[in-house]
Amino acid sequence: MYHTADTLRLDPANGDIDAVVIGTPYERIRYQGYVAAIGEDKISAQEARTRANLPDGSVAVLIFAHGAKPEDQDFLSGIQGVTMRLGNATLTPVALRRSGTSLSQYPDTPGEIGERFTGTATYIFKLSPSQYRASGTIRFTDATGKTFNLPVQLSKYR
């Protein structure tokens, strides 16, 4: 639903956020099956569902981010105020999962090597059936203070 214009380049105007995606139970189960298959790890459909760890009636907002400085490994905790507004309802996450950080390169960054720690913060939202296909916004602030207000149309997802 969002990504920077050049995900291989650090641009301070973009803040710490590289991309934001929506994960539905269907998509996360498919993803777990894919990861298992490329790792030659045969798993059942039930095991893929268990590994997806996203209950029916929920959506995940996955935020891919990087540290503002080469030594910054705390950037994921700087993502604040994550909400989803659907119609007249403002939803807050029912769960948060943060990945560990890993070193990555942004090779298109002029004037520096472009190394930063990267990671993901996954926010889980519980939806009512009337919200499954709703439109609205996802709002949050990253560790640099940049505010994101992203449109979302859940009808686009399975």
Side-chain angles (χ1 to χ4, degrees):
M1 64 180 287
Y2 168 84
H3 64 84
T4 61
D6 182 353
T7 57
L8 297 178
R9 179 185 176 119
L10 294 169
D11 183 349
N14 295 331
D16 286 350
I17 307 304
D18 296 316
V20 179
V21 300
I22 293 288
T24 64
Y26 174 78
E27 180 275 330
R28 299 312 294 165
I29 292 166
R30 285 185 59 203
Y31 174 76
Q32 289 302 325
Y34 167 76
V35 168
I38 63 171
E40 298 180 8
D41 178 20
K42 294 187 186 277
I43 62 172
S44 68
Q46 184 56 47
E47 178 61 21
R49 180 177 270 282
T50 299
R51 290 182 187 184
N53 194 19
L54 186 61
D56 290 344
S58 300
V59 293
V61 175
L62 293 86
I63 301 175
F64 295 80
H66 63 270
K69 301 176 195 167
E71 65 277 5
D72 181 9
Q73 293 188 52
D74 295 325
F75 57 93
L76 291 175
S77 62
I79 299 171
Q80 299 292 317
V82 180
T83 60
M84 182 183 301
R85 181 128 177 110
L86 299 173
N88 293 327
T90 299
L91 308 176
T92 57
V94 296
L96 165 61
R97 301 178 195 129
R98 291 187 183 116
S99 71
T101 59
S102 59
L103 195 59
S104 190
Q105 289 189 335
Y106 293 80
D108 292 350
T109 303
E112 68 169 277
I113 295 171
E115 287 187 343
R116 293 292 189 278
F117 284 96
T118 62
T120 60
T122 302
Y123 295 84
I124 309 300
F125 292 87
K126 182 74 175 151
L127 304 177
S128 68
S130 66
Q131 294 169 327
Y132 291 173
R133 302 188 60 71
S135 296
T137 56
I138 295 170
R139 183 178 171 88
F140 62 91
T141 303
D142 74 3
T144 70
K146 181 177 170 95
T147 298
F148 291 79
N149 197 21
L150 307 173
V152 62
Q153 292 178 303
L154 295 180
S155 62
K156 291 184 174 184
Y157 304 96
R158 284 180 45 172

